[in-house]
């Protein structure tokens, strides 16, 4: 845990983060219900759940205490409607169980643009739309304990965390625990020559071109580990 005057960052390093760093600064909206296990016998957020599992030896009944996870999508691409997440948040607030709001706003082109912004300003490089997406809902997600997972961290998840903390302070809200997942940026651990030597899926050579961004998918595991810290918001770059 890194603490500053008014910022707390939890950094979960992925596979690439083990080798050190050059830089020491550190789909459309909708909501879906995912039962914890098995098949559900009820519908809706508050429906009681009773499940039955059968094997060759016995039938085991599971009581209504089975947990459910509710996942809502606030954005499916960079620049998606800024107001689309608000009815999703309102719906999640009525659900009984763990609630998560996802913003998926990163692609290869937007990541390259984010790297350009970070090089121009070390405090930039996260989604330029972070304020528009998060500011209107921070109060509601804080009140109703809805957790956010998003790749709005783009090329600079740590700066995105600082900005999120700032938004919280500006609205005089209770502090949020923010986790940062990083380690996907190959430019921070490999030389350009090493990256140019890696095979490409299409078989096209990238030698002689300007290298703006080179990132790897870290997978869902570091996000799960970040959530296990109790974070209210998880900010990632190219993770899944």
């Amino acid at each position: 845990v890194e603490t500053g005057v008014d910022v707390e960052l939890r950094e979960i390093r992925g596979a690439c983060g083990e080798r050190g760093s050059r830089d020491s600064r550190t789909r459309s909206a909708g909501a879906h219900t995912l039962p914890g296990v098995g098949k559900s016998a009820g519908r809706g957020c508050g429906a009681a759940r009773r499940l039955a599992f059968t094997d060759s030896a016995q039938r085991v009944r599971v009581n209504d205490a089975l947990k459910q996870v509710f996942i809502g999508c606030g954005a499916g691409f960079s620049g998606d409607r800024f107001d689309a997440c608000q009815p999703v948040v309102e719906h999640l607030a009525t659900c009984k169980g763990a609630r998560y709001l996802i913003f998926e706003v990163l692609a290869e082109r937007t990541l390259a643009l984010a790297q350009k912004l970070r090089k121009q300003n070390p405090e930039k490089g996260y989604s330029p739309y972070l304020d528009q997406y998060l500011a209107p809902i921070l109060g509601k997600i804080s009140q109703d304990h809805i957790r956010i997972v998003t790749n709005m961290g783009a090329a600079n998840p740590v700066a995105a965390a600082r900005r999120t903390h700032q938004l919280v302070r500006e609205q005089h809200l209770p502090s949020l625990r923010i986790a940062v997942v990083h380690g996907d940026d190959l430019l921070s651990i490999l030389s350009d020559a090493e990256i140019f030597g890696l095979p490409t899926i299409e078989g096209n050579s990238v030698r002689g071109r300007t290298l703006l961004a080179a990132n790897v998918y870290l997978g869902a595991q570091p996000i799960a580990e970040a959530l296990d810290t109790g974070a209210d918001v998880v900010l990632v770059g190219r993770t899944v």
Side-chain angles (χ1 to χ4, degrees), residues 22 187 190-197 211:
R22 291 180 187 171
L187 295 176
L190 297 177
S191 68
D192 287 3
E194 289 176 303
I195 295 173
F196 283 139
L211 188 59

Side-chain angles (χ1 to χ4, degrees), residues 40-214:
S40 171
R43 294 181 180 275
C45 295
R49 299 302 198 264
R50 185 172 297 279
L51 291 89
F53 299 85
T54 305
D55 60 24
S56 59
Q58 62 181 346
R59 172 173 294 185
V60 179
R61 294 192 177 276
V62 181
N63 63 25
D64 294 340
L66 177 68
K67 290 184 178 180
Q68 282 198 311
V69 174
F70 300 90
I71 300 174
C73 183
F77 60 89
S78 181
D80 202 352
R81 286 177 47 190
F82 301 139
D83 62 343
C85 62
Q86 296 177 34
V88 180
V89 171
E90 293 293 336
H91 175 75
L92 287 173
T94 68
C95 298
K96 305 301 181 183
R99 283 83 51 86
Y100 299 89
L101 181 65
I102 311 300
F103 291 90
E104 163 34 337
V105 300
L106 198 62
E108 288 73 18
R109 178 176 176 273
T110 46
L111 184 53
L113 292 172
Q115 286 285 17
K116 291 180 69 174
L117 291 174
R118 185 182 66 83
K119 290 176 181 178
Q120 295 168 7
N121 183 345
E123 284 303 309
K124 297 296 183 180
Y126 53 87
S127 170
Y129 305 121
L130 183 144
D131 286 27
Q132 289 93 326
Y133 285 126
L134 295 188
I137 62 169
L138 284 175
K140 188 67 174 174
I141 68 109
S142 175
Q143 172 186 314
D144 293 300
H145 307 292
I146 299 168
R147 303 168 79 181
I148 292 176
V149 178
T150 176
N151 53 18
M152 279 193 272
N156 201 345
V158 173
R162 293 193 183 101
R163 178 56 186 158
T164 304
H165 276 295
Q166 187 176 0
L167 290 173
V168 170
R169 292 195 303 272
E170 290 172 356
Q171 297 185 34
H172 306 289
L173 297 171
S175 297
L176 294 178
R177 295 166 65 89
I178 298 177
V180 170
V181 178
H182 65 101
D184 60 299
D185 184 5
L186 290 179
L187 295 176
S188 67
I189 59 172
L190 297 177
S191 68
D192 287 3
E194 289 176 303
I195 295 173
F196 283 139
L198 296 173
T200 57
I201 294 175
E202 296 85 0
N204 298 323
S205 175
V206 294
R207 292 182 181 277
R209 302 184 184 183
T210 301
L211 188 59
L212 293 178

Side-chain angles (χ1 to χ4, degrees), residues 6-27:
D6 47 18
V7 62
E8 178 185 4
L9 307 175
R10 289 186 177 271
E11 298 186 290
I12 311 298
R13 287 190 176 273
C16 292
E18 303 294 336
R19 297 178 55 183
S21 172
R22 291 180 187 171
D23 187 352
S24 59
R25 299 177 299 270
T26 303
R27 290 165 162 142

